[in-house]
Amino acid sequence: MKFDIQSYSIRELIQTDGLEKALATIAAVGFDGIEYCDFYGYTPQELAARTAAAGLESISVHIGADAVQANAAYIEALGVRYVVDPWDDGREIETYIRTLTEADAFCRTYGAEVLHHNHFQEYNDGDRMAAFRAAGIGLEPDVFWIAEAGLDPVQKLTEYGAATKLLHVKEMGEGRKCPNPIVGEGKLDMPAIFRAAAPFTDRAVLEVGIYPCPIVEYLEKSLRNMRRFASV
């Protein structure tokens, strides 16, 4: 398994050190790639060049399904494997599936596949992720938000099966607005989560909302733990 980081997780490093130094830092920690959620004012070519210079892979990018055509230049330049729709706005499910399907067809012309990333609202009335899976849409299950919705991430990963193309890892602490513990030291059963995801995906994307310790220390310890969980 390879390990990537969501660019939201390094927003403080980007703000204080600049994007290039922030990318160099996560590469030095040992991450394989990055999942962008922002373009930070760079052109597609500039962003792709800076990512490559750091020795990182642009595995995925968060772009709403309605916005893929407007951002085609970034999808092409970054050479991402996945374009991730990051927010369920609650539209009628069949309409949403149609939008995702059309976005996926467009992105496949650039060699990318559209996935949907969950928060809690997908589970407010049933399981919209399951509906996306049934319609042939790939998934990036966020285990934090599955647990926040009162569900078992291991069970959901097992149900989603091969539809899980990326595992989104965010450790759970005492509450939604509390620091995220180092991966493996929080409330989620991370060894079981990695075991459940392993047959279906070869990438795990780390997200951190609030750090409980210095950023580099957190990233080093969490990456070490994720590697251990993935190797069992």
Side-chain angles (χ1 to χ4, degrees):
M1 180 175 280
K2 291 187 175 182
F3 302 93
D4 312 298
I5 190 164
Q6 232 278 348
S7 67
Y8 177 77
S9 305
I10 57 168
R11 61 199 180 280
E12 295 174 13
L13 290 179
I14 294 171
Q15 183 176 6
T16 58
D17 299 342
L19 179 67
E20 292 180 54
K21 188 173 180 181
L23 294 177
T25 296
I26 62 172
V29 168
F31 285 92
D32 299 292
I34 187 163
E35 177 181 80
Y36 283 111
C37 65
D38 195 311
F39 303 133
Y40 307 102
Y42 290 101
T43 68
Q45 292 72 26
E46 289 170 343
L47 191 61
R50 282 158 176 77
T51 307
L56 295 168
E57 180 182 357
S58 299
I59 182 64
S60 51
V61 61
H62 277 202
I63 298 173
D66 294 315
V68 294
Q69 294 191 32
N71 290 284
Y74 284 98
I75 295 168
E76 181 176 27
L78 290 171
V80 295
R81 192 191 303 181
Y82 302 110
V83 176
V84 184
D85 176 65
W87 185 256
D88 185 341
D89 60 9
R91 73 186 75 177
E92 192 273 327
I93 190 67
E94 293 302 326
T95 300
Y96 206 162
I97 288 172
R98 184 165 58 251
T99 300
L100 290 167
T101 301
E102 292 172 354
D104 182 63
F106 177 82
C107 289
R108 285 181 184 272
T109 66
Y110 294 93
E113 178 182 354
V114 165
L115 312 180
H116 181 73
H117 173 101
N118 66 283
H119 290 81
F120 63 90
Q121 64 266 38
E122 284 81 358
Y123 306 103
N124 284 342
D125 184 17
D127 183 348
R128 286 163 71 92
M129 291 282 275
F132 298 148
R133 170 186 175 273
I137 303 298
L139 306 177
E140 183 187 46
D142 185 321
V143 296
F144 174 95
W145 287 111
I146 293 174
E148 182 69 19
L151 302 170
D152 180 2
V154 173
Q155 179 181 340
K156 285 299 174 184
L157 288 169
T158 302
E159 292 175 7
Y160 298 152
T164 297
K165 304 302 177 71
L166 294 173
L167 174 65
H168 198 90
V169 177
K170 182 178 178 182
E171 183 60 274
M172 176 172 280
E174 294 305 316
R176 187 183 301 184
K177 297 182 179 181
C178 296
N180 302 114
I182 289 165
V183 174
E185 298 182 8
K187 292 187 173 183
L188 300 183
D189 187 349
M190 286 295 178
I193 285 169
F194 274 84
R195 285 195 300 271
F200 309 114
T201 181
D202 61 351
R203 309 293 296 224
V205 181
L206 175 66
E207 181 185 343
V208 190
I210 304 174
Y211 285 90
C213 62
I215 293 175
V216 172
E217 176 187 348
Y218 182 99
L219 298 179
E220 289 175 342
K221 290 181 177 179
S222 289
L223 181 58
R224 183 165 60 246
N225 287 348
M226 289 193 295
R227 284 174 170 160
R228 186 173 77 253
F229 301 149
S231 67
V232 176

